[in-house]
Amino acid sequence: AALVDALGNICVLDSSKITENGKACVVKLSPKGKVTARWGKYGVGDGEFKDPLAIAVDRQDNIYVADAGNYRIQKFDPKGKFIAKFGVRGYREGEFMQPAGIAVDAQGNIYVSDIETARVQKFLPVK
């Protein structure tokens, strides 16, 4: 998955070789293709991923990652600093089984599709 922010920077999920010691990170590239930031690793802590499947950006260029293996969404500032997370494993409102798609609208509302539960959930902006 990849996205382009308002300045033309490209953010790509690197989920190649995800194993206990594998890679799971976000790579940010300048409009000319130079790596300007890289963050994340395999794991369960803040800023760590287990099977990141989707990525989105808001109007302030904050980056959201659908972290399917951890049943959550994580939010980062444009430089990759962890800001917030939400979601846990489950079938109820606000819970995920496999968040696989994410989008953010102009008002900052977050839409998450979950392929395991066959639904889309809408969340208010996350601070």
Side-chain angles (χ1 to χ4, degrees), residues 86-121:
F86 63 92
V88 295
R89 187 174 194 261
Y91 291 92
R92 289 185 253 153
E93 192 173 308
E95 299 176 342
F96 306 111
M97 290 305 293
Q98 192 168 12
I102 188 166
V104 182
D105 69 18
Q107 290 74 41
N109 297 304
I110 304 155
Y111 301 84
V112 180
S113 64
D114 188 320
I115 59 175
E116 178 72 24
T117 61
R119 68 180 177 183
V120 174
Q121 295 185 69

Side-chain angles (χ1 to χ4, degrees), residues 44-47 72-75 82-87 126-127:
V44 299
D46 294 347
R72 66 185 178 189
I73 305 301
Q74 294 193 69
K75 179 180 179 181
F82 174 82
I83 296 174
K85 65 184 173 191
F86 63 92
V126 175
K127 302 282 181 203

Side-chain angles (χ1 to χ4, degrees), residues 6-85:
L7 300 174
N9 297 300
I10 302 162
C11 288
V12 180
L13 289 176
D14 178 359
S15 54
S16 63
K17 300 180 184 172
I18 292 187
T19 64
E20 285 192 32
N21 297 312
K23 296 179 181 179
C25 66
V26 176
V27 179
K28 189 169 187 177
L29 306 157
S30 71
K32 295 188 180 206
K34 179 182 176 194
V35 174
T36 59
R38 180 185 311 264
W39 67 89
K41 65 179 182 176
Y42 184 88
V44 299
D46 294 347
E48 297 177 346
F49 307 107
K50 282 173 70 179
D51 199 13
L53 295 180
I55 190 168
V57 66
D58 66 17
R59 294 181 88 177
Q60 291 76 39
D61 290 330
N62 294 307
I63 297 155
Y64 298 78
V65 177
D67 183 10
N70 285 318
Y71 314 101
R72 66 185 178 189
I73 305 301
Q74 294 193 69
K75 179 180 179 181
F76 301 89
D77 76 7
K79 295 184 179 183
K81 180 182 175 196
F82 174 82
I83 296 174
K85 65 184 173 191

